[in-house]
Amino acid sequence: MTVRYSRDRLDPLGGHDTAWAVLELVAEHQGLDAEPDARAAHLQRPDFDHGELIQQAMRHNLLPALADFLNRHGLRKALPHRLRTPVLNQLRLSEHRGRLLTREAARVSDGLARAGVRAAWTKGVTLQTTLYDDTAVRSFNDIDLMIAPEDRERTRTALIDLGFTPDAVFDPETGQLKEMPRLDRRSYRMSPDHLPHFRLLTEDICVPHVSVDVANSLTWHGSAWQVPMRRVVEQIAPVPVVGGVLPALSTPHAFLFLCLHVFREGWLQRTIVTKDLALSQFADILRQWRRSSPQVRRDVGAAVAEFGLAEPMAWVCAHTDALFGTDILEELDLTAQADPRWQASAQGAGGRRLTWHGDMRRRLREVTAPVLTPLP
């Protein structure tokens, strides 16, 4: 294995957590774009905490990526013997799940087309190909769909006709579907930017059900920042995926959505306390930006200006730059919006402004959600 040394990136936490340093390397390179730097050498140190690395990889949806990284660079035996097979098996499971969910997405696309619904697939089901070269390192557990708000009812009807059950959750104890809790159904009614998940039982022992998450906004209901969905669906384009082709967002809209989705989950109190951000989400943004042409980058900048998205995009891009040493913020001319007070902000119920302490790296490392306090 060839190791390229980069002393300033050896351990971004000042020697306190080498396991996290290796995880950032996995997230940043995924073994696909470049040879690993000196952080990879930590894996073979006798005092390295492999258990911490695996736990953090699980928390941040990076376990298949870790398995691929170890395989790709001849580092499998760096894992203790009894941890090796369970970790490496995650890559095969991710590949199997990805192929099954992609086939189901193609079936749903056909049904929606017959119903006259223009819809785009987002996140994992398309990113597995467009950003991660069909390597199965980008794991995903459901398939995410984007539609225009006026197509909500037609989409619901089409999914039911395809055998999906609305307003349902999967019970792993019984292996069956059950009704979604009333509180969750009420939350969907109050925030009509998503339809409640649709679920379908399968006969696959590894993927017992398929879940479709339908969104009709790049942000959320009541948000001060909106992107006209009519413009979004007009620019839907086919992209190649494992075993076929799926309709997807245009590349500029895909980048906007990745960033705005991170902003939603990392800025709103209600999502912070239930499922705070993952390092893999920032890795998606990093790879999308790196693979975007100069024209696409200019189109993103034009869309940010046209739709007034400077504040949420600055929040996300500044944190991405801090994690990976990129300069997305500067390229989009958003440096002025990324002041420290804004970067540490969040929003609570009723629009109440909150703040959290520390930087994004520290926030991602912590097992518990950040403590939010009222902004003076």
Side-chain angles (χ1 to χ4, degrees):
M1 181 190 70
T2 302
V3 175
R4 295 189 299 108
Y5 285 87
S6 177
R7 292 185 181 276
D8 60 332
R9 300 301 305 281
L10 178 61
D11 187 348
L13 303 171
H16 295 298
D17 193 338
T18 54
W20 183 264
V22 173
L23 188 66
E24 283 194 4
L25 173 62
V26 171
E28 180 177 355
H29 292 292
Q30 303 274 359
L32 302 178
D33 296 332
E35 289 295 309
D37 61 33
R39 286 170 285 176
H42 289 313
L43 281 161
Q44 304 196 63
R45 284 172 40 179
D47 61 341
F48 183 75
D49 193 341
H50 295 89
E52 174 68 13
L53 173 62
I54 293 169
Q55 180 193 45
Q56 290 283 24
M58 292 175 65
R59 287 186 57 242
H60 291 278
N61 202 30
L62 288 168
L63 200 54
L66 174 61
D68 179 81
F69 184 86
L70 297 173
N71 273 334
R72 194 175 296 272
H73 299 295
L75 290 166
R76 293 183 298 276
K77 292 186 178 180
L79 285 184
H81 179 74
R82 294 186 184 277
L83 296 178
R84 198 175 305 155
T85 298
V87 170
L88 298 179
N89 281 348
Q90 288 299 311
L91 188 59
R92 301 282 73 83
L93 176 59
S94 178
E95 181 179 7
H96 173 71
R97 184 190 297 114
R99 291 182 181 276
L100 186 151
L101 293 179
T102 303
R103 288 195 301 270
E104 191 60 31
R107 188 178 77 91
V108 170
S109 281
D110 291 342
L112 291 173
R114 290 192 299 270
V117 176
R118 282 182 60 82
W121 295 100
T122 65
K123 297 165 67 175
V125 72
T126 55
L127 297 183
Q128 62 174 328
T129 296
T130 60
L131 298 188
Y132 296 100
D133 306 335
D134 298 334
T135 55
V137 301
R138 179 51 166 87
S139 64
F140 54 102
N141 296 312
D142 58 8
I143 43 180
D144 295 272
L145 196 65
M146 186 72 68
I147 62 170
E150 57 267 28
D151 286 331
R152 285 169 60 93
E153 285 307 313
R154 282 196 294 175
T155 300
R156 176 184 173 88
T157 300
L159 287 170
I160 292 173
D161 290 343
L162 289 167
F164 284 85
T165 301
D167 308 332
V169 295
F170 178 73
D171 185 347
E173 186 174 340
T174 64
Q176 300 298 315
L177 300 179
K178 62 181 182 180
E179 187 177 30
M180 181 180 292
R182 180 182 301 177
L183 186 61
D184 291 343
R185 297 200 305 273
R186 181 173 176 233
S187 176
Y188 277 108
R189 287 195 299 271
M190 294 177 63
S191 302
D193 46 70
H194 280 69
L195 290 172
H197 282 60
F198 294 81
R199 288 185 167 87
L200 174 73
L201 291 177
T202 76
E203 296 183 356
D204 190 280
I205 192 169
C206 295
V207 189
H209 77 286
V210 174
S211 174
V212 180
D213 184 2
V214 182
N216 52 261
S217 171
L218 264 62
T219 54
W220 65 91
H221 178 71
S223 168
W225 304 280
Q226 298 289 343
V227 179
M229 289 304 298
R230 178 53 58 190
R231 292 270 295 275
V232 173
V233 299
E234 285 175 353
Q235 297 180 36
I236 290 172
V239 298
V241 294
V242 177
V245 174
L246 288 177
L249 298 176
S250 69
T251 304
H253 286 149
F255 184 77
L256 288 179
F257 178 60
L258 288 176
C259 293
L260 295 172
H261 184 70
V262 164
F263 182 67
R264 170 189 171 131
E265 295 201 344
W267 194 69
L268 293 180
Q269 183 182 27
R270 67 174 184 265
T271 51
I272 291 173
V273 299
T274 55
K275 55 167 187 176
D276 199 20
L277 297 170
L279 181 60
S280 58
Q281 293 173 285
F282 289 98
D284 287 345
I285 293 170
L286 173 71
R287 294 184 70 79
Q288 182 78 73
W289 187 254
R290 281 180 171 172
R291 295 197 171 195
S292 294
S293 67
Q295 182 58 54
V296 167
R297 295 183 181 190
R298 287 192 291 270
D299 291 343
V300 169
V304 170
E306 180 181 1
F307 304 133
L309 302 174
E311 288 181 311
M313 291 295 289
W315 194 96
V316 174
C317 293
H319 287 309
T320 304
D321 287 347
L323 286 168
F324 298 120
T326 48
D327 55 1
I328 305 173
L329 197 69
E330 183 177 348
E331 288 193 59
L332 290 176
D333 195 23
L334 296 174
T335 306
Q337 283 76 23
D339 66 86
R341 185 182 176 95
W342 172 244
Q343 293 308 121
S345 70
Q347 179 174 284
R352 184 175 56 143
R353 288 301 175 94
L354 307 171
T355 189
W356 50 279
H357 299 285
D359 59 20
M360 184 56 70
R361 176 174 285 115
R362 189 72 55 181
R363 175 170 164 177
L364 292 172
R365 286 181 60 222
E366 296 296 328
V367 176
T368 56
V371 175
L372 301 175
T373 56
L375 192 66

